[in-house]
Amino acid sequence: MTEEEFAAVAKLLDNLKHDDVSVRLNSTQKLTSIARALGPERTREELIPFLIESTDDEDDILIVMAEQLGLLCDYIGGPQYVQVLLAPLKCLAIVEETRVRDCAIESLGKVATVMSSHQLHTYWLPLVQALAVHDYFTARISACSLFAAPYAALPTKERQELRETFAKLCQDDTAMVRRVAASNLGLFTDAIFSARIDPTAAEQKSSPSEDTTGSSSSGDDVAVRQQLIASTMVPLFVELAKDDQDSVRLQSIDNCVALARVLGGKAINGLTPEAMAASTGAPQGPQGTIFGVVLATVEDLSWRVRWTIAKRFHTIIDSIGPWGALTSAFLEKMLRDPEAEVRTAAVSIVSEVARQLPLEVVKSELVPRVLKQVDDPSEQVRAALASVVNELAPIVGQEQTLEQLLPRLLDLLRDTNSEVRLHVIAKLGSINQVIGVELLGERLLPTIFDLASDEKWRVRAAIMDRMPMLASQLGTRFFYDKLCDQCMLWLQDDVFCIRIAAARNLKRLTDLLGHEWIKGYILPRLNQMHSSQDHTHRLMTLITIQELAECLTADVVQTQVLPIVLDLVTDTVPNIRFHVAKTLGALADKVGAWVVAGRVEPYLKNLSADPDRDVKFFASQAFRCLTNQRGEAK
């Protein structure tokens, strides 16, 4: 390192004590550079102690310090010295600011990955235990996140100590500590399940709490680990699920998934998913306990808890198994919830749940219960149902779709709320595949036309935005015959943004319907619009041509488009004249140089002398662009 570089690092080191916060922050961001210059020994003996004394600084500085400490593992002399980083990180894990603690925990995780089993036993375990019994609840909160990472590398006794310490945190007097402990229960469970059991120790074990660090892959090993989880983690899970704070109970939903996954939820008591689906009873054993928590959560007093389980219900069923009749009953409870948000969440996952249940259960129980929500007083619930009904069609088949789904779908299409009707139209592809475009189209068209002329311009914009999707879902022939006229009518809408969106929409439709659609359908209608007495119609003719310019061929431009544009050169409205100039500029590269020189440039020269300054500006701009193109071509 040169003298200049040493001087720069020395300045950084001095700036760590600077009075200006921004200067200290800048130096803290370069701790790795400082450590590289100091060398491993001085970093351990000078820099780290200094950082420990500096952990009462501004939060922004402490966040950066926590991040940088996790990067210092390579600058302190190797893995054998990484324990020196624990002291400053411990200080940062206690501070009040959540972001500082989160960064400190992340860096502690990086340090743990390079520590040996001896270091974990000698340094890491005392750190976790010290944080777990600290007087400050912030320290105990941080401790909750430090159990999973080193668990597999620890010997039997230390593993048991970790589990016991974690259990105490789950019973902490402070609700925030219990909440974080609950949020980490699933992660800690996965770590316990991933840590192998020594088969010889398993044979000699006298209690479920005894394990070793062996690496057996036998079936008994899995069974022992499952028993260990059932005896240690499941009781904690049940206790947290009954907590008096809803923020703690909320965590039980994700824990249901984690526990069911490691306990073998898809093969409970030897039952296959098919047998589980046909069963009318509840599962037994630890899985039955998990199922009981699900039932209690569905009936929780807090709407936030019920809403969360409604959002995640299909994931839970996927983990604990498709208990057919019970699953349908659970879902019905959520569909009858007094809170509209909960009912909306329940409706939105119906199709996901249906894919996991036997077809007979879906047809006889699930679908009838869900379709009752068509009469729900909440527009939010009906809008969610409008999306789901279409997704159920491929699951139940054509006959059931015609008998049950289609009548209720038509009820939703007649809903007084436009958002509900739009949601139906947005997902027509699925039901179209089942019953066919002709039957669906004749029922659907009146609703589309109603939405297209809705008094709210945002509704008209929404249905227009879905036109390309309808063209792809219903087929181009059906769209061409039934809906093309409506797309052209939007060019004459009273609202300017709708007219502009309509011109862009024609461009999107061209990608589906092909260039012949422009030549045979759009241009004849633009030809009629350009001679309209309404200046907005004439203006939209030019704007539409600008949007479609890149889709037009040279032959079409010369024979059909240029006559329309040039006919408006002398229009009395200045806005139309300067749009003529812009349109001519957009079309110039579509025709040959002789056409530009003979038909386009003369008109642009005339427009360049227009009395209106905006017309003159755009005409001059287009003329310069054409001149440059011709120069480059030569």
Side-chain angles (χ1 to χ4, degrees):
M1 185 176 288
T2 65
E3 293 184 5
E4 293 181 355
E5 291 174 330
F6 268 118
V9 171
K11 186 171 181 59
L12 286 175
L13 195 56
D14 290 338
N15 287 341
L16 289 174
K17 309 172 187 177
H18 203 281
D19 293 336
D20 191 326
V21 173
S22 62
V23 175
R24 296 202 306 276
L25 179 62
N26 181 64
S27 291
T28 306
Q29 290 172 336
K30 299 177 181 178
L31 282 180
T32 53
S33 299
I34 295 173
R36 186 186 300 111
L38 291 176
E41 186 175 352
R42 291 190 64 191
T43 297
R44 296 194 304 269
E45 296 178 358
E46 298 178 26
L47 180 61
I48 298 300
F50 172 78
L51 294 177
I52 294 174
E53 296 175 359
S54 304
T55 52
D56 60 348
D57 211 325
E58 298 290 334
D59 289 338
D60 289 340
I61 294 177
L62 296 183
I63 291 172
V64 175
M65 184 187 298
E67 293 172 345
Q68 290 289 306
L69 282 167
L71 303 175
L72 291 181
C73 296
D74 297 330
Y75 300 95
I76 55 175
Q80 65 269 31
Y81 296 108
V82 292
Q83 65 270 11
V84 302
L85 298 174
L86 297 182
L89 287 172
K90 177 185 176 182
C91 297
L92 295 173
I94 299 175
V95 301
E96 186 174 351
E97 174 57 45
T98 302
R99 294 176 301 163
V100 177
R101 298 200 307 271
D102 289 343
C103 290
I105 291 168
E106 184 179 352
S107 291
L108 281 168
K110 294 177 181 178
V111 173
T113 59
V114 299
M115 296 183 83
S116 65
S117 179
H118 172 72
Q119 288 173 311
L120 289 171
H121 170 71
T122 307
Y123 303 106
W124 180 274
L125 194 59
L127 166 71
V128 175
Q129 291 172 335
L131 290 173
V133 297
H134 203 284
D135 290 340
Y136 291 168
F137 75 92
T138 54
R140 303 197 298 276
I141 287 176
S142 295
C144 295
S145 303
L146 301 177
F147 289 86
Y151 183 85
L154 291 172
T156 302
K157 183 179 178 181
E158 280 70 17
R159 288 187 184 182
Q160 183 174 347
E161 290 179 9
L162 276 184
R163 294 194 299 271
E164 292 173 353
T165 304
F166 186 80
K168 291 178 181 177
L169 290 173
C170 290
Q171 300 163 354
D172 196 274
D173 293 336
T174 305
M176 286 184 286
V177 176
R178 299 197 303 274
R179 177 179 61 80
V180 179
S183 68
N184 282 278
L185 187 143
L187 187 63
F188 192 32
T189 298
D190 287 336
I192 295 173
F193 186 72
S194 300
R196 295 293 187 178
I197 306 293
D198 189 331
T200 58
E203 292 174 1
Q204 300 171 2
K205 67 197 298 304
S206 59
S207 72
S209 64
E210 297 177 4
D211 60 31
T212 71
T213 57
S215 57
S216 170
S217 58
S218 65
D220 290 342
D221 180 24
V222 174
V224 170
R225 283 180 279 155
Q226 289 178 327
Q227 183 182 0
L228 179 62
I229 291 168
S231 63
T232 57
M233 306 308 289
V234 171
L236 295 177
F237 161 70
V238 173
E239 187 175 350
L240 291 169
K242 297 177 181 178
D243 198 276
D244 58 353
Q245 296 292 321
D246 64 352
S247 62
V248 179
R249 298 197 302 275
L250 271 173
Q251 311 305 319
S252 64
I253 297 166
D254 287 332
N255 291 334
C256 284
V257 177
L259 287 169
R261 183 172 58 248
V262 300
L263 292 174
K266 285 296 188 75
I268 297 174
N269 297 331
L271 293 177
T272 64
E274 291 75 15
M276 292 161 61
S279 174
T280 56
Q284 304 299 316
Q287 295 88 350
T289 303
I290 297 172
F291 212 80
V293 170
V294 174
L295 176 60
T297 306
V298 169
E299 299 174 335
D300 197 277
L301 294 177
S302 168
W303 76 268
R304 290 200 306 156
V305 176
R306 301 196 306 273
W307 176 83
T308 304
I309 195 169
K311 291 286 288 184
R312 300 293 308 278
F313 189 67
H314 61 292
T315 307
I316 295 172
I317 295 303
D318 183 58
S319 299
I320 66 176
W323 291 79
L326 287 175
T327 298
S328 184
F330 280 177
L331 193 59
E332 183 174 20
K333 286 180 180 292
M334 292 184 283
L335 292 173
R336 292 180 177 178
D337 196 277
E339 296 292 338
E341 288 82 359
V342 178
R343 299 198 303 274
T344 300
V347 166
S348 65
I349 52 93
V350 162
S351 61
E352 296 291 338
V353 173
R355 293 186 181 97
Q356 301 179 43
L357 297 179
L359 184 58
E360 290 305 316
V361 175
V362 174
K363 290 181 178 180
S364 61
E365 299 186 28
L366 187 64
V367 171
R369 286 171 173 169
V370 171
L371 291 180
K372 292 178 182 178
Q373 304 305 124
V374 171
D375 302 317
D376 194 286
S378 170
E379 296 172 351
Q380 185 180 1
V381 176
R382 299 199 304 274
L385 180 64
S387 297
V388 170
V389 169
N390 289 302
E391 296 174 357
L392 289 173
I395 299 174
V396 301
Q398 185 179 43
E399 182 179 354
Q400 199 79 5
T401 298
L402 292 172
E403 290 180 3
Q404 288 188 298
L405 297 184
L406 189 58
R408 303 306 275 164
L409 185 70
L410 296 176
D411 290 339
L412 291 170
L413 284 172
R414 291 189 288 268
D415 197 279
T416 55
N417 182 266
S418 57
E419 286 297 320
V420 176
R421 304 197 300 272
L422 284 170
H423 276 74
V424 174
I425 292 171
K427 294 289 186 71
L428 287 176
S430 299
I431 198 168
N432 177 44
Q433 295 172 3
V434 177
I435 66 175
V437 66
E438 293 300 329
L439 179 59
L440 180 61
E442 67 183 34
R443 309 288 182 90
L444 181 67
L445 280 176
T447 299
I448 293 177
F449 291 136
D450 286 344
L451 292 170
S453 58
D454 194 279
E455 62 180 10
K456 298 177 182 178
W457 71 267
R458 295 184 187 276
V459 175
R460 301 198 300 275
I463 187 63
M464 179 172 54
D465 187 58
R466 287 168 171 78
M467 281 297 171
M469 179 198 65
L470 287 173
S472 62
Q473 291 181 347
L474 301 179
T476 56
R477 175 49 53 190
F478 178 87
F479 187 88
Y480 194 91
D481 294 340
K482 306 292 185 180
L483 296 173
C484 279
D485 288 344
Q486 179 58 57
C487 292
M488 296 301 297
L489 284 175
W490 275 316
L491 292 173
Q492 303 174 15
D493 196 274
D494 293 335
V495 179
F496 178 72
C497 69
I498 295 293
R499 298 197 297 270
I500 295 297
R504 294 169 181 166
N505 192 52
L506 292 178
K507 169 64 173 60
R508 295 167 59 200
L509 287 169
T510 300
D511 296 335
L512 293 170
L513 301 179
H515 293 76
E516 288 299 317
W517 183 55
I518 299 178
K519 182 178 178 180
Y521 185 84
I522 297 180
L523 291 180
R525 283 156 181 78
L526 292 181
N527 191 38
Q528 296 173 7
M529 285 177 59
H530 99 282
S531 59
S532 171
Q533 295 298 314
D534 190 328
H535 78 281
T536 60
H537 296 178
R538 303 196 300 276
L539 180 61
M540 285 312 302
T541 300
L542 296 169
I543 293 176
T544 303
I545 291 174
Q546 292 172 35
E547 291 291 338
L548 297 175
E550 65 181 61
C551 302
L552 300 172
T553 64
D555 179 63
V556 171
V557 170
Q558 293 181 43
T559 58
Q560 292 185 264
V561 177
L562 276 181
I564 295 174
V565 177
L566 296 178
D567 197 35
L568 296 172
V569 168
T570 58
D571 197 280
T572 56
V573 179
N575 273 6
I576 293 177
R577 296 200 301 276
F578 83 63
H579 271 285
V580 168
K582 293 176 67 175
T583 306
L584 289 174
L587 296 174
D589 61 349
K590 291 290 182 177
V591 294
W594 66 272
V595 176
V596 173
R599 301 184 63 185
V600 176
E601 288 188 357
Y603 287 99
L604 286 177
K605 288 181 180 179
N606 292 335
L607 290 172
S608 297
D610 195 276
D612 186 275
R613 63 180 181 180
D614 290 329
V615 177
K616 184 184 300 184
F617 171 78
F618 285 107
S620 300
Q621 188 180 58
F623 188 79
R624 284 195 301 271
C625 181
L626 293 180
T627 303
N628 293 337
Q629 289 179 0
R630 289 177 63 186
E632 292 174 1
K634 291 179 180 179

